[in-house]
Amino acid sequence: MMLGVASGKGGTGKTTVAVNLARAFGSGVWLADCDVEEPNAHLFLRGTTIGSRTVSLPVPQVEAGLCDACGACARLCQYHAIVSFGTPPLLFPELCHGCGGCVRVCPRGAIAEVDRRIGVVETQRDGHITLVQGRLDVGVALVPPLVRAVKASLPRDMPVIVDAPPGTSCPVIATIRGLDALALVTEPTPFGLHDLSLAVDMVRQLNIPFGVVVNRVGVGDDRVHGFCRREGIPILLDIPDDRRIAEVCSRGRLVVDELPEYRPAFARLWAGACALAAPVPALAPL
Amino acid sequence: MIIALTASGDGLDARMDSRFGRARRFLLYNLDDGTVRTVDNDEGQRAAQGAGIQAAETIARLGVGGLVTGHCGPNAFRVLRAAGIPVFSTTAATVSEAIDAYRAGTLTRIDAPDVDGHWT
Ligand code: SF4
Ligand code: SF4
């Protein structure tokens, strides 16, 4: 079972939910931090690094002596990473997505591939939690390939919690595609509702079962709950606006450790998400 | 010779667009006969990345002899230099003022990118 924790914007408590859910497990669980531009789940754990590997993309390198400046490579590349106008091509490796298209299309075999490092995937262990996090190198803008590298490091036969980047753009879609279920974290405010409805549209298009976690219930109004009721979206968890929770989080500690009365709520969140992913089969009509 | 200018509207009275990669349009001005042609920069405006390169490719294909704009980032500059297109920077408000300054030879020729990549 792979559960994604996502939200339409940052600052809703998404990482808090993901990390506490992992800690509430009684046995082995994996936590994947796919917010590779700003991984922060590790701040809540006291893990030791047990593995690290660099992630590279194959980018083109042109052998000018073989190139006849036909421009086929540049016409093919939709990312403008290789540009030619009657000249041997100019390369912009930072825009290259490593698709290999230019290499295949070059009629003269003038393009070779070299590795360009984009970031690292690190593994840490803290008790029963194995954290896998991607960390994009400074100045690199290619998030989806690193997210895919993080996901490729995850086991298939263990419970996995995936902390998605905030928002509804390509990095999020690369993260949540193929997961078994999603928990969308929001706050019960007009802004929260707006961002939630964007996230709901995205998730419905990807056809992933999902429910909602409402964080800081009590700060706003009941429009998020009304929206979920009307849309038939299950509420997986209501987290009250408890000042003690804010204090625990601001100290980088975990709610389920410091305020154990919240443990069962996170266990219910996991159970509810599993029920979404594998619904009880409907009875056949008699 | 034809020069390209980045503009936010049509015609010689249009305001200059100080961006290059994400400029609204390119006005192609023929210095010999005074005619003007407009080329939209829809792709550059939509591009998530590589807008400057995209725009520079467009300009290079149009076979212009110079570009007059506000600012030019490093990637676009590299393409324009490879294509042998000189880049001039201006703060003129309108296209016609920029053309006058070009004719008068008072524009600064840029020989290095003057903004970082994300500005363009
Ligand atoms: S590998 Fe793909 S993205 Fe990279 S330059 Fe070649 S065609 Fe463009
Ligand atoms: S396709 Fe090959 S031969 Fe043609 S311009 Fe590109 S590198 Fe040169």
Side-chain angles (χ1 to χ4, degrees):
Chain A
M1 163 78 178
M2 288 181 135
L3 171 69
V5 183
S7 73
K9 73 161 171 62
T12 56
K14 175 178 59 60
T15 301
T16 309
V17 170
V19 182
N20 281 285
L21 177 57
R23 180 70 103 205
F25 266 72
S27 57
V29 61
W30 287 56
L31 176 63
D33 192 344
C34 286
D35 191 357
V36 299
E37 287 173 288
E38 234 182 323
N40 58 359
H42 67 99
L43 299 175
F44 293 90
L45 301 175
R46 305 281 173 273
T48 44
T49 300
I50 56 171
S52 171
R53 70 185 174 88
T54 61
V55 178
S56 303
L57 280 186
V59 303
Q61 192 171 53
V62 175
E63 180 64 60
L66 296 176
C67 168
D68 68 356
C70 70
C73 52
R75 281 192 296 279
L76 178 93
C77 181
Q78 53 176 311
Y79 302 108
H80 305 286
I82 187 162
V83 176
S84 160
F85 25 81
T87 52
L90 294 179
L91 297 172
F92 295 92
E94 68 278 17
L95 298 177
C96 171
H97 286 228
C99 72
C102 55
V103 179
R104 284 193 293 277
V105 83
C106 175
R108 301 182 55 91
I111 307 182
E113 287 177 314
V114 292
D115 278 343
R116 170 171 185 259
R117 183 191 142 124
I118 59 167
V120 290
V121 175
E122 294 160 349
T123 311
Q124 298 183 2
R125 188 154 291 152
D126 177 4
H128 65 281
I129 301 174
T130 307
L131 171 71
V132 181
Q133 67 177 8
R135 192 185 288 280
L136 206 61
D137 286 350
V138 174
V140 175
L142 291 164
V143 175
L146 190 55
V147 165
R148 285 192 288 270
V150 172
K151 286 172 73 182
S153 317
L154 299 170
R156 294 276 142 197
D157 52 355
M158 294 277 291
V160 177
I161 299 158
V162 179
D163 188 7
T168 51
S169 58
C170 301
V172 186
I173 291 170
T175 302
I176 65 178
R177 193 184 287 282
L179 299 185
D180 299 307
L182 276 177
L184 298 178
V185 183
T186 189
E187 290 187 346
T189 62
F191 290 122
L193 177 57
H194 172 258
D195 297 321
L196 174 64
S197 65
L198 296 178
V200 165
D201 288 345
M202 166 184 72
V203 175
R204 282 190 173 144
Q205 281 181 29
L206 291 167
N207 219 350
I208 304 170
F210 69 99
V212 165
V213 172
V214 189
N215 192 15
R216 303 183 63 210
V217 171
V219 287
D221 50 39
D222 56 5
R223 273 182 275 186
V224 164
H225 288 87
F227 169 80
C228 291
R229 215 177 307 119
R230 280 195 307 282
E231 297 279 327
I233 300 168
I235 304 272
L236 297 170
L237 179 62
D238 278 322
I239 303 174
D241 182 36
D242 180 339
R243 205 168 47 86
R244 295 173 307 157
I245 293 182
E247 280 168 13
V248 167
C249 294
S250 68
R251 282 188 283 124
R253 307 306 284 251
L254 290 169
V255 178
V256 294
D257 289 341
E258 310 280 318
L259 306 169
E261 65 266 37
Y262 283 109
R263 239 167 208 280
F266 283 94
R268 279 200 305 279
L269 166 58
W270 180 258
C274 288
L276 284 176
V280 182
L283 289 175
L286 291 174
Chain B
M1 186 175 85
I2 294 174
I3 58 169
L5 302 103
T6 49
S8 49
D10 286 317
L12 296 178
D13 295 331
R15 297 193 68 76
M16 287 292 288
D17 192 332
S18 64
R19 304 164 301 178
F20 172 58
R22 296 193 191 278
R24 282 290 294 281
R25 335 197 129 84
F26 303 119
L27 289 196
L28 304 186
Y29 179 74
N30 188 322
L31 292 164
D32 305 318
D33 62 13
T35 52
V36 181
R37 189 155 76 85
T38 310
V39 175
D40 280 329
N41 183 31
D42 294 344
E43 278 189 77
Q45 291 208 324
R46 273 199 312 267
Q49 285 182 304
I53 298 174
Q54 164 97 53
E57 277 184 274
T58 304
I59 292 294
R61 296 228 162 81
L62 290 166
V64 303
L67 167 70
V68 182
T69 185
H71 302 279
C72 184
N75 287 350
F77 192 80
R78 231 184 106 199
V79 175
L80 292 165
R81 187 167 52 197
I85 298 172
V87 184
F88 299 90
S89 140
T90 180
T91 52
T94 66
V95 169
S96 59
E97 284 171 32
I99 292 171
D100 289 345
Y102 180 89
R103 285 191 188 280
T106 56
L107 291 182
T108 326
R109 177 160 175 181
I110 318 179
D111 39 33
D114 66 341
V115 285
D116 79 28
H118 291 286
W119 205 88
T120 60

